[in-house]
Amino acid sequence: MDAKDIPAGLRRLADASDRKITPPLLARAVSELETSEWLRAETASESELEEGSPSQLFVDRPEGWEDRFKELLEETSAQRRQRLSSREEGKRAAAEARVVQLESELRASRQALADAERRGEERQQAKLHAARQAQKEAGRQVRDETRRAAAAEKRLAEVEAALEDAEARVETQRQLLEKERRAAPSASPAEGGRGWFPSDPLDMAAELDRIVMATHRPRRETTQPAWGSTLERRLPDGVRPDRAEAVVALLKYPLTWLVDGYNLAFQLDPEPDSVTRDRVLASIARLVGLSVPATMAVVVFDSSVDEFSGTADRRVGVVFAPSADEWIIEQARPGAVVVSSDRRVREEAQRAGAIGLWSEAMAAWILSGRPG
């Protein structure tokens, strides 16, 4: 159709023929067909419309076309509704099938989760059981090691006790031999002997020490201080029982010194031996030599053998007792000085009227080399 022949109402539709036709333009075209017989005739002559179709009925308009058009419209609407219903049914069926599938997957996931939790719990239980077993085994090993350590300590203590007993027996035999040697008749000068003086170098040195100590006794006051009831139970004011000054302060009184030998030995050497014990005896002998006349001393050593009493020399007694502490407590009385590191021993001795000194005080006096 020439542009000049196009009705004014359809020109916008003609201009949009190469684009998408919008609903307003389509409605405009239907309105023009409805009102223009000429346009319907032109449309029928230019288009091959299917016989009986809604388009043919609308353009040609035969008799009764409106009723037939309504029927076709209703049929088309019914078909459309059916298609829509079928489509919705399909969608619903697909959705139901998807729901069933998802529920199945959910059940499978829940089962997998439950299995994983069960396996995890089983692994945790296995680890916990293994840890408990390891703990029990470790505890058993600790107990075994503790028992073995205790047995080893017991064996060590037994060996140390046996060694101490052996040393004590050796020392006893040495002392007995020394007594016998001194009691034996001395060789005459014509036979080349030394008379009373020992020939052994060590005994010679010890005898020289005794001679020097006896001839160089410190000058004492002509009148001995009174041993009053106040000093029977305590040291002079300002003198501490753990200092060397306490030993010096008591040298001017005739006392009986009761000394725990091993306590004092441990103060002189962390690992005391027979040499340390000899040093203890020599130091106590020096203490007695520096004291006023009538001073006595007894050094008591713990020993598991039968109780033995003897002398280290003419001035110091030696006692081996099962319990040095108990022996000293039993012997404590007024006029005695107890030297011990054990607080209980000192307190019991003081209750019995003795003076209690710390082993640290005697060790400090020995190490200081103070004469008095």
Side-chain angles (χ1 to χ4, degrees), residues 182 196-198 202-211 314:
R182 292 178 179 177
W196 63 270
F197 202 74
L202 293 179
D203 293 337
M204 185 185 302
E207 192 63 28
L208 288 173
D209 288 343
R210 295 190 189 100
I211 294 172
R314 291 187 296 270

Side-chain angles (χ1 to χ4, degrees), residues 77-97:
S77 298
Q79 292 175 357
R80 191 170 187 180
R81 285 195 299 272
Q82 186 176 2
R83 285 195 302 271
L84 291 175
S85 177
S86 299
R87 189 181 304 166
E88 292 299 324
E89 288 292 335
K91 289 182 180 179
R92 186 174 64 181
E96 291 177 353

Side-chain angles (χ1 to χ4, degrees), residues 73-133:
L73 183 58
E74 291 176 358
E75 291 176 0
T76 300
S77 298
Q79 292 175 357
R80 191 170 187 180
R81 285 195 299 272
Q82 186 176 2
R83 285 195 302 271
L84 291 175
S85 177
S86 299
R87 189 181 304 166
E88 292 299 324
E89 288 292 335
K91 289 182 180 179
R92 186 174 64 181
E96 291 177 353
R98 181 59 178 166
V99 169
V100 172
Q101 179 184 359
L102 292 175
E103 289 178 349
S104 177
E105 292 176 357
L106 179 60
R107 285 193 297 271
S109 299
R110 288 175 177 172
Q111 185 62 38
L113 178 59
D115 293 342
E117 291 177 348
R118 178 179 53 79
R119 288 193 297 270
E121 185 175 356
E122 291 175 354
R123 285 195 295 270
Q124 290 299 114
Q125 290 295 332
K127 290 181 179 179
L128 181 60
H129 179 71
R132 287 175 178 171
Q133 291 298 114

Side-chain angles (χ1 to χ4, degrees), residues 24-38:
L25 292 179
L26 185 59
R28 184 62 181 174
V30 172
S31 177
E32 289 292 333
L33 285 173
E34 177 70 22
T35 57
S36 175
E37 293 184 2
W38 171 83

Side-chain angles (χ1 to χ4, degrees), residues 21 36 52 68 100 218 220 330 363:
I21 299 176
S36 175
R68 179 59 182 161
V100 172
R220 304 292 182 183
E330 290 177 1

